[in-house]
Amino acid sequence: MHRLFTAHLTHNPLFRSPLTLGAVLVMLTSATPGFGQSAGAKLGQKSGPVRVQPVSQAVSQTAGEPAVQVGAPATGHSIGHRHCCNRPEVFLLRGGAGYWPRVASFEETLRSSGLEPKTIYHWQHRGLADEIASAYQAGELAGPITIIGYSSGADAACWMSERLNKAGVPVTTLILIESTFGISVPSNVSYCFNIYESRGWTDKIPAFRGIPVEAKNPNTQLFNTNVTYHPELAGLQERNHFTMAVTRQMHTMLTNIIIERNQQLQAAVPEAGPQMPAESEGSGAGEGPAQEARLPNSESVLK
C-alpha cells in the first residue's frame, strides 16, 4: 500500500516540482490546528510581544533551508507610526514551518504602494496581536488594521483577529490565502477576502488545501473566492496550495484590495479610526455568509 501511495504521489502534477515536494515535507510537520495556538502561548509567556523583523532579513526564502527561527523578544513597541514610517501597516503571517516563497516580493509590492508590511511566523500571532492592541489603544497606528495569512498563517490570522477582538480592537481588512482549517472569521472583522481553490481529493488533507470560511458576524463583508469559478484568475488556477501565494498576479490583486479598502474607510470617516462592525442580536455564534462570492470590484483589483 505504501508503494502504491508513493507511486501515485510521484505521478501527480502537484508533486512534480522539487520546491513543492520540499514544501510538502515542512507543511506536514507543522500544519496542525493546535500548533499555532500552543506555540503562540509559549512565546507570549516567555518573551512577551514580538519584535517584527523584515522577513528578507529573518529567514531564507526556500523550503529546503531552515525557516523556524523566532524573532528576538521585544524591548518595546516595533509597530505604530512612532516606531515605523507613518504608513499604514500590513501584517503578514507565514504558513507551516515558516513557508511562504517570495513573500519578500509581496512585501516590495505593498511597500511601493505606500504600505508598510511586517511579516511574522504564524505561531507568533499572540505576541503581535498584543502589540497591535497596545499601539491601537495608545493611538499610535498610522492606518487601519490589515492582516494577511497564508495556509496555516490564514488560520492563525483568524486566531489573531479573535485575540484583538477580546482586546476591543477592530480589524478593517482580513485576507486569507488557502485557509487550511477554515477557522471562523471573528466578529470584529469588517471585511474578509478568502481566496482558495478546490482541488478534488487533496481537499481532504489540510496541508494541501484551501477551503471556504464562515463569519461569526453577519455584518462582516465576506468574500469566499474559489479561483476555479473565476476566468479572470486563470493564472492562479494553474497553481497548487504551495505556489498559490507566490505569483505577481496574487500580490497585485491583494495590494489593490487593501488600497481600495483604506480609501473607502478614509472617505467614510476621515477623522476617525476603524470601527467595529455592528452585530445584530444573536449574531455572535451564528453562521456568516456561505455563498461563493464574486470578486469585489474585480475590474479594479486585477489592475
Side-chain angles (χ1 to χ4, degrees):
M1 179 63 70
H2 174 73
R3 292 180 179 178
L4 288 174
F5 181 68
T6 302
H8 177 73
L9 294 185
T10 303
H11 289 86
N12 191 292
L14 177 63
F15 301 96
R16 289 177 183 171
S17 164
L19 177 62
T20 299
L21 284 171
V24 169
L25 293 177
V26 296
M27 295 287 278
L28 283 176
T29 61
S30 63
T32 60
F35 180 76
Q37 295 277 36
S38 60
K42 292 179 180 179
L43 180 66
Q45 293 169 0
K46 294 181 179 180
S47 63
V50 176
R51 177 165 295 282
V52 184
Q53 297 177 332
V55 72
S56 57
Q57 299 176 12
V59 66
S60 167
Q61 293 296 312
T62 61
E65 298 180 3
V68 293
Q69 300 178 14
V70 176
T75 55
H77 291 313
S78 61
I79 64 172
H81 66 264
R82 295 185 185 177
H83 315 279
C84 173
C85 49
N86 204 30
R87 305 200 304 178
E89 291 160 292
V90 179
F91 305 101
L92 296 90
L93 281 69
R94 285 174 162 266
Y99 182 80
W100 191 340
R102 301 180 188 173
V103 71
S105 176
F106 190 14
E107 289 179 323
E108 288 306 312
T109 300
L110 291 165
R111 194 170 287 113
S112 65
S113 299
L115 303 168
E116 184 60 26
K118 297 185 182 298
T119 304
I120 65 165
Y121 304 107
H122 67 83
W123 56 83
Q124 295 177 304
H125 68 274
R126 288 173 178 259
L128 180 58
D130 292 345
E131 194 169 350
I132 292 172
S134 180
Y136 175 83
Q137 292 160 2
E140 296 180 353
L141 293 180
I145 296 173
T146 301
I147 302 172
I148 305 176
Y150 162 56
S151 189
S152 298
D155 302 319
C158 289
W159 291 326
M160 177 175 163
S161 297
E162 182 57 49
R163 191 171 182 87
L164 289 171
N165 185 32
K166 292 178 180 178
V169 179
V171 175
T172 302
T173 304
L174 176 65
I175 295 177
L176 310 176
I177 308 171
E178 292 281 292
S179 174
T180 59
F181 288 98
I183 305 300
S184 296
V185 177
S187 58
N188 62 324
V189 176
S190 298
Y191 174 100
C192 176
F193 182 74
N194 175 44
I195 186 165
Y196 65 100
E197 182 177 12
S198 297
R199 302 183 183 91
W201 71 270
T202 57
D203 286 351
K204 297 180 180 180
I205 307 174
F208 299 160
R209 73 185 181 190
I211 57 176
V213 297
E214 296 177 345
K216 294 182 178 180
N217 184 349
N219 293 314
T220 297
Q221 289 182 279
L222 173 61
F223 292 88
N224 275 314
T225 304
N226 187 342
V227 301
T228 302
Y229 303 116
H230 294 276
E232 65 270 43
L233 299 179
L236 298 179
Q237 295 170 15
E238 300 172 357
R239 299 285 174 166
N240 58 50
H241 178 80
F242 303 101
T243 59
M244 176 71 79
V246 308
T247 68
R248 184 177 298 275
Q249 180 184 18
M250 177 70 80
H251 299 168
T252 301
M253 178 178 66
L254 298 184
T255 299
N256 287 341
I257 288 175
I258 296 168
I259 293 173
E260 185 175 288
R261 285 283 301 151
N262 289 356
Q263 289 174 344
Q264 289 173 349
L265 182 67
Q266 186 175 15
V269 278
E271 300 299 329
Q275 302 295 313
M276 289 278 195
E279 291 192 44
S280 59
E281 184 177 355
S283 64
E287 293 186 356
Q291 77 278 8
E292 164 58 32
R294 61 176 175 80
L295 277 176
N297 300 324
S298 57
E299 291 184 2
S300 62
V301 300
L302 291 175
K303 289 180 181 177

